[in-house]
Amino acid sequence: MNLERSPRLLDPLFADDRMRAIFSDRNRLEGMLRFEAALARAEARVGVIPSSVVPTIESQCRAELFDIEKLGCATALAGNPAIPLVKELTALVAQRGREAGDFVHFGATSQDAMDTGLVLQLRDALDLIESDLSALSGILAGLAVAQKKTPLAGRTWLQQAVPVTFGLKAAGWFSAVERHRARFRAMRPRILVLQFGGAAGTLASLEKNGLQVAEALAVELGLVVPDVPWHAHRDRVAEVATTLGLLVGTLGKIARDISLLMQTEIGEAFEPAAEGRGRSSAMPQKRNPVGSAVALSAAIRVPALVSVMLTAMVQENERGMGNWHAEWETLPEICTLTAGALQHMTQVLQGLELDVTQMAKNLDATGGQILAESIAMVLSANLGRPRAKSLVEQACRQASQQGRHLRDVLMENPQVREQLSSSDLDGLFNPSNYLGLAEALVDRALGSQSKKSHSDSE
Amino acid sequence: MNLERSPRLLDPLFADDRMRAIFSDRNRLEGMLRFEAALARAEARVGVIPSSVVPTIESQCRAELFDIEKLGCATALAGNPAIPLVKELTALVAQRGREAGDFVHFGATSQDAMDTGLVLQLRDALDLIESDLSALSGILAGLAVAQKKTPLAGRTWLQQAVPVTFGLKAAGWFSAVERHRARFRAMRPRILVLQFGGAAGTLASLEKNGLQVAEALAVELGLVVPDVPWHAHRDRVAEVATTLGLLVGTLGKIARDISLLMQTEIGEAFEPAAEGRGRSSAMPQKRNPVGSAVALSAAIRVPALVSVMLTAMVQENERGMGNWHAEWETLPEICTLTAGALQHMTQVLQGLELDVTQMAKNLDATGGQILAESIAMVLSANLGRPRAKSLVEQACRQASQQGRHLRDVLMENPQVREQLSSSDLDGLFNPSNYLGLAEALVDRALGSQSKKSHSDSE
Amino acid sequence: MNLERSPRLLDPLFADDRMRAIFSDRNRLEGMLRFEAALARAEARVGVIPSSVVPTIESQCRAELFDIEKLGCATALAGNPAIPLVKELTALVAQRGREAGDFVHFGATSQDAMDTGLVLQLRDALDLIESDLSALSGILAGLAVAQKKTPLAGRTWLQQAVPVTFGLKAAGWFSAVERHRARFRAMRPRILVLQFGGAAGTLASLEKNGLQVAEALAVELGLVVPDVPWHAHRDRVAEVATTLGLLVGTLGKIARDISLLMQTEIGEAFEPAAEGRGRSSAMPQKRNPVGSAVALSAAIRVPALVSVMLTAMVQENERGMGNWHAEWETLPEICTLTAGALQHMTQVLQGLELDVTQMAKNLDATGGQILAESIAMVLSANLGRPRAKSLVEQACRQASQQGRHLRDVLMENPQVREQLSSSDLDGLFNPSNYLGLAEALVDRALGSQSKKSHSDSE
Amino acid sequence: MNLERSPRLLDPLFADDRMRAIFSDRNRLEGMLRFEAALARAEARVGVIPSSVVPTIESQCRAELFDIEKLGCATALAGNPAIPLVKELTALVAQRGREAGDFVHFGATSQDAMDTGLVLQLRDALDLIESDLSALSGILAGLAVAQKKTPLAGRTWLQQAVPVTFGLKAAGWFSAVERHRARFRAMRPRILVLQFGGAAGTLASLEKNGLQVAEALAVELGLVVPDVPWHAHRDRVAEVATTLGLLVGTLGKIARDISLLMQTEIGEAFEPAAEGRGRSSAMPQKRNPVGSAVALSAAIRVPALVSVMLTAMVQENERGMGNWHAEWETLPEICTLTAGALQHMTQVLQGLELDVTQMAKNLDATGGQILAESIAMVLSANLGRPRAKSLVEQACRQASQQGRHLRDVLMENPQVREQLSSSDLDGLFNPSNYLGLAEALVDRALGSQSKKSHSDSE
């Protein structure tokens, strides 16, 4: 029977293939087998099992020796993949040395192998995410610096508000990415821990050697021994989910920004062009924001998957049922979708095309009204704020009704002319003169981060 | 590069393989290609394209002609799989007849092919679910009848309340399943509709023939022409998700019931035993409720996936981006997880083992207090309700403190003895005498349904 | 102690106050008290309790007699509000007639009162939603007719695709609303049922009269007796949630459309203006889409609340704990947020302002490229599709690079001039000539619905 | 019109009233008004506004001066509560000094006030949660120590597995709570930051004084100035949601454990008894786990609300619409439900009643089979693992079939008798002899934490 899922057709679009490889079936087995091999070494070192059996056990702890489909069928009966894997491993080892077979998986429970294997996968996953985030951070810093002085319309509620710079926009993205990097760094030590507790967390079958074996096992795997086994306490793995969920929210936000800027009528920024990328068959003028679409889809899917991980935390007693199972495909999916979105947005931002002319044109779309706040501020000095605001509001209304530029309407107003010359008004209607801290904030964002990173590495 | 997802190791546990086959990559292509072939036939019939090209087009509309991995890579650039599929199909057709190539996918947009293909897959999916539900319904009706008189402790808030029967429990499950069947029947005509609108829903490239082609195309595919194209109105596909979500909630509820009854300390019902099923390697006494675990995991995962489908409904203008993408893997996942849970629970209920002796023993676990309500009701007749309740409450407290049976404590009470003989009390403490409507309700549930089904089939 | 929640500051924005009133504390009590009064009448009619006590019981079944805050404190201990309510009601009744006190809530369980009370609230809620939907449907039908011939740019992936009409857009909205109305009609009989089962669903305390009482009680309340009590089967209430969830998805979709059309740079449609509505204090030129913002926020919040209702379906045995509790505030919140979004969008669509000039202007934003598909179709007749497409693609590229109108570029092409005169091209570049079925589909949508409504009402 | 929500009836059950007070309407106003007052002081200090107006502005920044219902109605039009609040505040101030009115909210945008006000509320919320967590941590540490040697059945998949101790269970809970405390400490500096950016984040209306004002304002409020304004970057507030979501998962897990232990048939642990607490009206023998029910309901509701916060992160451009609105009631609800669950579980654990006799009785429920692993381990020494396991499995099967104690069956086996005397077997069947590291892990959990806390406070 063909149990094919839909990996090959849509996966290249949604998933990061490096992350997919980390969470492949084979690698899942690999993680559990690394646990089993390390367990044998650790137990031999502590003297719980004979050293002589270790090479035989190690020799069979290779994922390619196992038939994944056969294990899959057995998993459907056993309720988890570690049970048939251990059974099969034991049989393979016993063929090579009867005594060795006796010491496979000694004292451990299937969840020990599964959770520790998962932690090993998560270590690779976090390495990948953090490395990609570091690259993205560099790209965004570069954008922020390069576009530090590029004015465009700031938009709130999808309405033009006041001018901003593209550099400030990029600095906002950058600053969020830096916060995510800090979260990953802070989370790491809570995640990279061993799971080793035996049937119900007491390691009773190892008598008094349990802790020593645990220490040795952790050293083998480069992990840390936690206070107590955490079979039914899932906050560690759920935290990976929430931290990725936060990241994907930011990626979605950037994707939303870019797809909005890429609208036909706005046209200020574009995903990079490439042969076959985002092209419609029937409409040659269209260029679809494919990377942003992927990130936006992740930003819809991942929050719900995060809620699965949180809901699944309510695990019964010493080890749960059902809720634990709910994690097995969900956490890999979160990792893979997040990495896919990250990869797409990195490419998008790396090759982002900006149309500065269009930005300028759009800044003029309201006939100067985008600078209404600025004018009102200046007039406030003499007229007081209420009268200044009311004057400008009236002028805006008139300009809209008559389809004229706000500057021209204001020029007709005696109160305005009293205070402001024609060239004053020209200055006021130059968006570059109403950018406030935009430039300073870019410096601040980039500077403060470089300081932080520096102190981090000390 | 190996883009393997995790299908083979965990899928046999969580997924129904028939449903997985419906939503395989190959079948996804198949659905789109059936659309393309039917479109050619329909357009030829209406006279929009020459009849002579139809056989050539049809001959290439076979999924096995396409390289899924290559299409996958092209999908990652194009943003959806229909674009490269149509391109490749056009090339294949053109090789066989240059003119024919001109009329592939004529007037359609990629989403027309994708959505109609999805509807064809959903038709198979609904057939499968409804057929499995029908089987489950029969099993539950059988259980309800067979156990109509089997008393066990009714439990509320996980506390013993008053006696019920296993038949009533099964009738409750049955009645819920029947409601789900009605929902599927009601939903079907809203789902099995064509998608055909061209680039933005106007079918402009077909000039005035659009509606005729749509009608002919719908006939070809056994679908109905909707009022208007629904590219960006996703309530239809989202309703499949919500309806499956409701079903999986009931499956989870049944699974929770069974796993609770199967607890070591309760031991009233058991998932069927089978070689290797639910067995622990280290603890021979254990039998894990594997089927229930799978259904419970689906009942945690599917609600979140439903929320994805609902959130994704906010699609922009004539066709959305990102939110549409969010559906592509989510709806198949909902179908597959639900079908998997349904398959597991059908097996569990088919082979459910009951321990009637243990049910009787547990009915006695409170030393008769589970019948306190019954006693209070009887005593109310003479003492009035408040005094009767207070008398019984006091007796319960005394019985608990002294570790005695409630009957014995009550027998010492003069007010009780005045009204009730020892054999009266024996009768009152027989759970089978306090089952109220349990039996009648089973008949009612089964009877009303058979009537309804009957009228349905008329 | 002040237990004030945040109702008055934000509720007027997010909630529909009529729906809020339906789910007020007082009305929650009212629902349970209507159950208790009807129960007394029904039981007296069947002869289970003396008729003489009914007036006394009825006289106290008035919500205003109860101190909500006191009941709230007792609820925190008892675990549900019906327990203290019944206790308090019994005390009030007993003060007026000792015997009457004995027959309050006779044979019922607290969940009977709570669930039936909820069903009574839901009946009002569904009435409100269906009535509002009917109004919205009328508004949308009006819009579709009025704007049947108004061309604007069709947009897919946020990019201009081909022209559509505003009438078609409105017909799409209308058609979705009609499907929702059909869902509500189909759901109603599953929802409007009595809950009455006593402690564990057997009505054992009523001996053999249970079903008769249930029938009489249902008549009193205008409800139907279900097959079996449904204390732990929550698909009925969850279906209210999913059906509202589907509706709010459509409302969000409409809101997204309008807010996108209202962007400064697009400016084709506007929420109605009103004093103080959507105005910024500092930026007089801005008009924020407040109604759409509310609907969009509901479309983010409600899907997650729906997932709560689905997750909560896994209720234990005869009556659940925790999961049942999870419903109590969630379902009212879903109703209230949906009604709020519906109210806002009805107002928005009722007063929607269209700027037809701007629509025409935006149709020209691509320098004619929005009609590229149309040109390619026409040229295909002679050149064949591949050559026609390639010719047009090249012309589009050239037009973009040189900042020229596509028409002008094409006019220079000998192959084009061979086939098309200048006035042919003028016609082809008139968006109104490339609207395909837009008009017919509006008629179809409105017509088919009026037929359906007609047959519904027969 | 009465816009009453349902606060008073159900809130005392679900919500923590201290947290509810923090997020009351009045306190929401208070937060915004503290921002406005501090802004005036800061701007005066920097010289942006005259010092003379500060006292007048400050004098009106008192929540009790404002009519919440009136502001609510204006909010429904304006789209957020800060707009009418500032308008009303300006009017109040202007009545007292026309000039002062000119300088209210000077240079700020409504979201500056709302977000900073929210941060002030969140600071109180985090203080409350962290203080309650500290108390809970102490209670759990006490439980772990007190029950360090109390054996009970370890249960996995709801089946008895091997013995554990109640101390180890409590240490697992404790260890999870300590991890949550660490998360809150790590998150704090990311949350307690000022929001101050003006209309689109540039503070343009303050010209070059923006940063100085921001610094002074932050000092006034005890907050930190962020790198850049974060109006549309919501990872900070979303992180509060995810961190609370993780906590509520653990609270739900503890609640599940307790409610399972409190089942009639298990009866090992009980929520504290109190007058009216968890009592059924009709069934005097019942005691419902009310506190656990509340925590479990929170553990279903909060994950979905977390997904709302994550989904809402996709905010447009400089300030979002709809998605920002989706946060306003959601984050307070998360805080309040989490605090309610925390409060309930603290009470439950503070007064937890244990029945050690029942624990011992349940340890015997399998007729010694709970110690099957232990026996197999001992027999392995001589027989080798496969034969030992097979022997014990067979004995278990025989014991179950014959309804005998495993010890008795084993005693009949010559291979067993060869190795083990009757008193050896007695020892092996004493659960206290098969507790492995249980005691050591309690010490480890408590010790490592006390060390960590110590170093934290250095």
Side-chain angles (χ1 to χ4, degrees), chain A residues 402-452:
Chain A
Q402 302 172 351
R404 299 167 65 200
H405 199 282
L406 179 59
R407 185 189 178 289
D408 301 335
V409 173
L410 286 172
M411 273 302 283
E412 294 170 6
N413 186 308
Q415 288 181 300
V416 173
R417 270 193 316 223
E418 223 164 83
Q419 288 180 58
L420 300 169
S421 70
S422 172
S423 89
D424 286 345
L425 274 176
D426 285 345
L428 285 170
F429 279 104
N430 178 349
S432 289
N433 292 334
Y434 197 62
L435 293 171
L437 297 178
E439 206 173 325
L441 288 170
V442 171
D443 292 339
R444 182 182 167 86
L446 296 178
S448 77
Q449 284 316 130
S450 70
K451 258 175 283 162
K452 271 187 222 158

Side-chain angles (χ1 to χ4, degrees), chain C residues 10-11 107 120 137 143-144 147 159 199 206 226 267 298 308 313 323 332 338 370 386 389 399 413 419:
Chain C
L10 299 180
D11 240 37
L120 297 175
S137 172
L143 255 179
Q147 307 299 332
Q159 303 292 308
L206 294 184
V308 170
M313 286 180 69
N323 23 39
T338 305
I370 194 172
K389 274 180 72 171
N413 186 309
Q419 287 181 59

